[in-house]
C-alpha cells in the first residue's frame, strides 16, 4: 500500500546502522540547501541513486517513479519563481502583453535551475532514509536524540494503526465499488464521505479494544521494543565523514 | 442527499470543471529542500509554542484518563489515512484531502498541532509529501494555521447559531484555503519576486496553485460535511467520547 514502507523491508541496506543512514541523509540535505550548488546536487543525486539502486537493490523503475512524486509542486512553484510580470523587461526573455512584460532575468533562470537541482537531490536524500530504514529504526534514532517519550510512543502507535486503518479503508472502498458506489462524481463524493465516517467509527471502537488488550499485557505507558543493535561500522562512518567533509568544502568554497 | 447538498454539489461540479486542466493536485506540501535553511529554522521556531501547548494539553488528557492514548493515536492514524487516500474528482486527476479541518473540528486545534506534526513526518518519510527540512513550514501551515482558523470559524458559527452543516463546510473550506494562502506566503517570503518583491511573489504563487487548490478546497468542504453527517448518524457515542456534540442527545 505504501511503496516506501514495503521497499524498505526488502532493501539490502536495511541492516546498516540506522544512525549512520539518518545522519548521512540529514547532513547531506543540510549542505544542499545551504549551498544551492548545481554540481553538488548532481553529485548527490548520482551517489544516492547508486546507493539506492545498486547497493540497496531497489528497482530503477520504482525509484524513478518515487522521485517523480513531488514534480508537480516543483514545476509549478519554480514557474512562479522564474516568471515575472513587470513594466520593465528583464535580460533573459521578455514577452510583451499589453503594457506589461512577462519576463525574467538570467540570474533568476539560473537560480530556478539550482532550486530544481538541489530540491530533487534533497528528495533523493529523503528517499535514501525512507527506502532503507524501517520506521521503528527511525523512531529508535529519534529516541536517541531525546525526543519526548510521549511523542515517540504516539508515533509508534500511530504508525501501527495506519496500516490497520488502511486495510479497513481499502476494504470499504472495494465493497463500495462492487456496489457501484463510485459510479460517478456524485456517488463517489457520497461514498467517500460515508467511508470516512465508517472508518472513524471503526477506529474508535478498535481503540477501546486495543487498550484493553494492551493493558491485559501489562501496558503502563510505553511499549518496549527490543531493538536489534546494528553495530556502527568504522569503514562506513569513515566514508560518510569524508563525503560530508567534501560537501562542507564545496559549500564553503561557494560562499567565498 | 438534501436539496441544499444537491445545490452545493452542482456548484462544485461547475466550479471544478472550470479547472479541468489540473493534472495532479497534491495537498500543498512544500517539498523537501525547497526552502532556504534560515526559513526552515524560523518556521520551526514559530511552531514551537503551539506544539508545546498541544503537548501539554495531550499530557493533561492522558493524566486524567490513560485510556485515551489509543484514542489519540487512532485519531492521528485516521488523519493520515484520510489524507493519503485519493479523493473523488471530476477530471480523474489525483488529489488528496488535507484532513486538517476535520481534525480541528473533531479533536480541537491543540491536539491537532501535535498529531499534525507526526502525520506530516510520516507523510514526508512514507509518501514524500513534504519533507524533513520543510517540516516546520508545513507544520505551521497545515497543523497550526489551518486548524486554528477552522476551529475558530466552527466555534463562531456555533455561537451565531448557524446550522451545523454550513458551519462544518465553512470551517473545512476556509481552513483549506487559508492553508494554501499561508503556504503561498511562506514561499513568497523565501523567494521574493525580482519585480515587485514579496507581494508580487505571493500573488504569483497564489495564482499558480489556484487551479488545483480552489476546487480541492470545495471538495474537501463537502467531504467533511458528508463525513460529519455520517458520524452524527452512526457514531453518536463515539463523538461524545471526544467531546464533539456536547449538548446533543
Amino acid at each position: 500500500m505504501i511503496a516506501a514502507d514495503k521497499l524498505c523491508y526488502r532493501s539490502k541496506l536495511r541492516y546498516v546502522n540506522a544512525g549512520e543512514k539518518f545522519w548521512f541523509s540529514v547532513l547531506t540535505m543540510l549542505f544542499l540547501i545551504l549551498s544551492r550548488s548545481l554540481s553538488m546536487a548532481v553529485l548527490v543525486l548520482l551517489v544516492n541513486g547508486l546507493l539506492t539502486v545498486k547497493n540497496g537493490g531497489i528497482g530503477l523503475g520504482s525509484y524513478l517513479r518515487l522521485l517523480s512524486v513531488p514534480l508537480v509542486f516543483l514545476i509549478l512553484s519554480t514557474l512562479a519563481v522564474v516568471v515575472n510580470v513587470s513594466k520593465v523587461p528583464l535580460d533573459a526573455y521578455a514577452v510583451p502583453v499589453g503594457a506589461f512584460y512577462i519576463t525574467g532575468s538570467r540570474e533568476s533562470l539560473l537560480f530556478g535551475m539550482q532550486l530544481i537541482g538541489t530540491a530533487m537531490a534533497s528528495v533523493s536524500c529523503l528517499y535514501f532514509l525512507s527506502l532503507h530504514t524501517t520506521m521503528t529504526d527511525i523512531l529508535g534514532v529519534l529516541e536517541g536524540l531525546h525526543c519526548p517519550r510521549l511523542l515517540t510512543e504516539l508515533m509508534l502507535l500511530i504508525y501501527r494503526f495506519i496500516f490497520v486503518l488502511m486495510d479497513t479503508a481499502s476494504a470499504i472502498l472495494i465493497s463500495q465499488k462492487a456496489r457501484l458506489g463510485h459510479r460517478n462524481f456524485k456517488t463517489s463524493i457520497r461514498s467517500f464521505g460515508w467511508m470516512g465516517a465508517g472508518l472513524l467509527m471503526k477506529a474508535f471502537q478498535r481503540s477501546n479494544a486495543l487498550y484493553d488488550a494492551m493493558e491485559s499485557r501489562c501496558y503502563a505507558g510505553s511499549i518496549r521494543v527490543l531493538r536489534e543493535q546494528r553495530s556502527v561500522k568504522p569503514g562506513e562512518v569513515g566514508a560518510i565523514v569524508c563525503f560530508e567533509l567534501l560537501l562542507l568544502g564545496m559549500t564553503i568554497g561557494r560562499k567565498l | 442527499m438534501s436539496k441544499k447538498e444537491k445545490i452545493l454539489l452542482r456548484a462544485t461540479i461547475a466550479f471544478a470543471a472550470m479547472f479541468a486542466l489540473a493534472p495532479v493536485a497534491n495537498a500543498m506540501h512544500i517539498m523537501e529542500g525547497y526552502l532556504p535553511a534560515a526559513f526552515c529554522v524560523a518556521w520551526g521556531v514559530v511552531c514551537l509554542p503551539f506544539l508545546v501547548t498541544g503537548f501539554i494539553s495531550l499530557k493533561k488528557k492522558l493524566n486524567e484518563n490513560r485510556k485515551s492514548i489509543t484514542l489519540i493515536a487512532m485519531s492521528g492514524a485516521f488523519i493520515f489515512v484520510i489524507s493519503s487516500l485519493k479523493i473523488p474528482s471530476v477530471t480523474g486527476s489525483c488529489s488528496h484531502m488535507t484532513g486538517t479541518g476535520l481534525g480541528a473540528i473533531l479533536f480541537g486545534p491543540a491536539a491537532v498541532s501535535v498529531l499534525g506534526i507526526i502525520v506530516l513526518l510520516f507523510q514526508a518519510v512514507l509518501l514524500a509529501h513534504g519533507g524533513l527540512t520543510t517540516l516546520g513550514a508545513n507544520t505551521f501551515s497545515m497543523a497550526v494555521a489551518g486548524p486554528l482558523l477552522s476551529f475558530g470559524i466552527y466555534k463562531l458559527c456555533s455561537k451565531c447559531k448557524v446550522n451545523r452543516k454550513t458551519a462544518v463546510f465553512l470551517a473545512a473550506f476556509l481552513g483549506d484555503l487559508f492553508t494554501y494562502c499561508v503556504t503561498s506566503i511562506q514561499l513568497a517570503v523565501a523567494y521574493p519576486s525580482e519585480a515587485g518583491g514579496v507581494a508580487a511573489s505571493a500573488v504569483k504563487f497564489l495564482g499558480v496553485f489556484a487551479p488545483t487548490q480552489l476546487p480541492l478546497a470545495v471538495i474537501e468542504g463537502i467531504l467533511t460535511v458528508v463525513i460529519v453527517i455520517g458520524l452524527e448518524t452512526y457514531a453518536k457515542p463515539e463523538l461524545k467520547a471526544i467531546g464533539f456534540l456536547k449538548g446533543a442527545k
Side-chain angles (χ1 to χ4, degrees):
Chain A
M1 260 171 293
I2 296 175
D5 190 72
K6 252 190 206 158
L7 289 172
C8 76
Y9 283 93
R10 269 192 258 153
S11 158
K12 287 186 208 148
L13 295 176
R14 180 185 162 192
Y15 295 118
V16 174
N17 180 284
E20 284 177 25
K21 288 182 277 189
F22 180 81
W23 287 113
F24 170 74
S25 303
V26 171
L27 285 177
T28 310
M29 238 180 249
L30 200 72
F31 287 128
L32 275 170
I33 59 172
L34 279 176
S35 74
R36 289 265 178 248
S37 137
L38 259 184
S39 45
M40 189 194 286
V42 173
L43 175 73
V44 170
L45 265 175
L46 282 178
V47 167
N48 277 335
L50 268 180
L51 280 175
T52 303
V53 176
K54 201 143 176 287
N55 297 28
I58 308 279
L60 183 65
S62 48
Y63 184 55
L64 289 180
R65 212 168 314 127
L66 285 170
L67 275 180
S68 71
V69 166
L71 268 189
V72 174
F73 176 86
L74 188 65
I75 292 168
L76 285 180
S77 39
T78 310
L79 214 62
V81 172
V82 178
V83 176
N84 285 298
V85 177
S86 151
K87 278 186 177 162
V88 231
L90 297 166
D91 56 357
Y93 64 95
V95 183
V97 180
F100 291 91
Y101 289 96
I102 295 176
T103 178
S105 67
R106 290 221 172 101
E107 217 175 307
S108 78
L109 280 183
L110 182 70
F111 184 67
M113 299 267 284
Q114 287 173 346
L115 210 52
I116 291 180
T118 49
M120 282 318 289
S122 308
V123 171
S124 80
C125 290
L126 179 66
Y127 275 128
F128 180 78
L129 183 67
S130 63
L131 289 179
H132 305 298
T133 323
T134 58
M135 190 51 85
T136 30
D137 286 347
I138 297 179
L139 288 182
V141 175
L142 284 182
E143 243 162 52
L145 291 173
H146 301 288
C147 186
R149 184 90 221 170
L150 174 61
L151 268 189
T152 50
E153 188 63 23
L154 263 182
M155 284 170 77
L156 184 68
L157 286 174
I158 289 178
Y159 177 66
R160 310 249 158 209
F161 293 168
I162 281 172
F163 294 95
V164 177
L165 290 189
M166 278 265 190
D167 265 344
T168 314
S170 76
I172 296 177
L173 283 174
I174 288 172
S175 58
Q176 283 179 340
K177 275 179 195 152
R179 291 163 180 77
L180 298 182
H182 291 263
R183 187 160 53 88
N184 56 30
F185 182 65
K186 199 171 121 183
T187 50
S188 43
I189 286 271
R190 212 173 124 85
S191 301
F192 191 92
W194 285 93
M195 185 277 295
L199 189 65
L200 189 67
M201 212 166 71
K202 278 249 157 81
F204 285 171
Q205 287 164 356
R206 274 224 180 109
S207 76
N208 279 329
L210 259 167
Y211 190 84
D212 293 342
M214 276 154 60
E215 201 171 37
S216 65
R217 289 161 179 79
C218 303
Y219 177 76
S222 67
I223 296 177
R224 284 167 211 280
V225 186
L226 183 63
R227 302 224 180 267
E228 294 174 85
Q229 287 301 323
R230 301 285 161 200
S231 55
V232 181
K233 295 214 176 85
E236 286 165 1
V237 175
I240 292 172
V241 169
C242 286
F243 186 69
E244 299 305 334
L245 281 179
L246 173 70
L247 295 188
L248 177 68
M250 285 172 89
T251 311
I252 294 172
R254 247 182 95 79
K255 299 275 157 183
L256 287 179
Chain B
M1 257 187 227
S2 73
K3 205 173 173 188
K4 261 187 204 156
E5 273 178 2
K6 268 185 197 157
I7 295 171
L8 205 64
L9 202 70
R10 272 185 207 142
T12 342
I13 295 171
F15 196 66
M18 280 167 24
F19 298 104
L21 294 169
V24 185
N26 279 323
M28 284 263 299
H29 294 80
I30 301 178
M31 80 182 274
E32 183 71 275
Y34 208 79
L35 285 182
F39 288 90
C40 299
V41 177
W43 287 114
V45 171
V46 171
C47 289
L48 265 183
F50 298 98
L51 289 174
V52 170
T53 319
F55 188 76
I56 291 171
S57 95
L58 275 189
K59 219 165 191 176
K60 220 175 101 194
K61 225 179 238 172
L62 283 179
N63 284 340
E64 278 166 21
N65 181 6
R66 243 180 39 197
K67 226 179 149 161
S68 52
I69 182 135
T70 46
L71 195 71
I72 294 167
M74 272 293 180
S75 313
F78 175 75
I79 297 177
F80 179 92
V81 170
I82 216 75
S83 63
S84 74
L85 288 171
K86 245 195 256 173
I87 58 171
S89 70
V90 237
T91 53
S93 69
C94 164
S95 40
H96 303 272
M97 275 176 94
T98 59
T100 47
L102 185 65
I105 295 169
L106 290 176
F107 316 120
V112 165
S113 65
V114 177
L115 291 181
I117 194 172
I118 296 176
V119 167
L120 283 167
L121 186 70
F122 283 158
Q123 283 179 335
V125 173
L126 297 175
L127 306 171
H129 293 171
L132 300 180
T133 53
T134 51
L135 189 63
N138 284 331
T139 305
F140 182 76
S141 67
M142 295 190 182
V144 174
L148 268 181
L149 187 89
S150 289
F151 188 73
I153 286 175
Y154 181 70
K155 282 281 132 162
L156 193 76
C157 286
S158 349
K159 272 237 170 80
C160 303
K161 306 255 183 288
V162 179
N163 135 335
R164 196 198 305 271
K165 280 167 207 159
T166 321
V168 170
F169 176 80
L170 281 179
F173 170 67
L174 292 175
D176 211 32
L177 275 191
F178 191 56
T179 300
Y180 142 70
C181 294
V182 169
T183 312
S184 297
I185 291 168
Q186 284 175 329
L187 286 167
V189 174
Y191 298 115
S193 166
E194 295 167 296
V198 174
S201 183
V203 172
K204 281 196 294 179
F205 279 112
L206 283 170
V208 158
F209 289 109
T212 58
Q213 293 303 312
L214 291 181
L216 200 63
V218 181
I219 294 180
E220 166 128 21
I222 294 178
L223 282 177
T224 310
V225 173
V226 179
I227 291 178
V228 170
I229 294 174
L231 285 173
E232 282 180 349
T233 320
Y234 284 135
K236 279 206 173 138
E238 281 88 358
L239 284 186
K240 265 182 216 152
I242 53 169
F244 184 80
L245 271 190
K246 256 180 201 135
K249 275 177 213 160

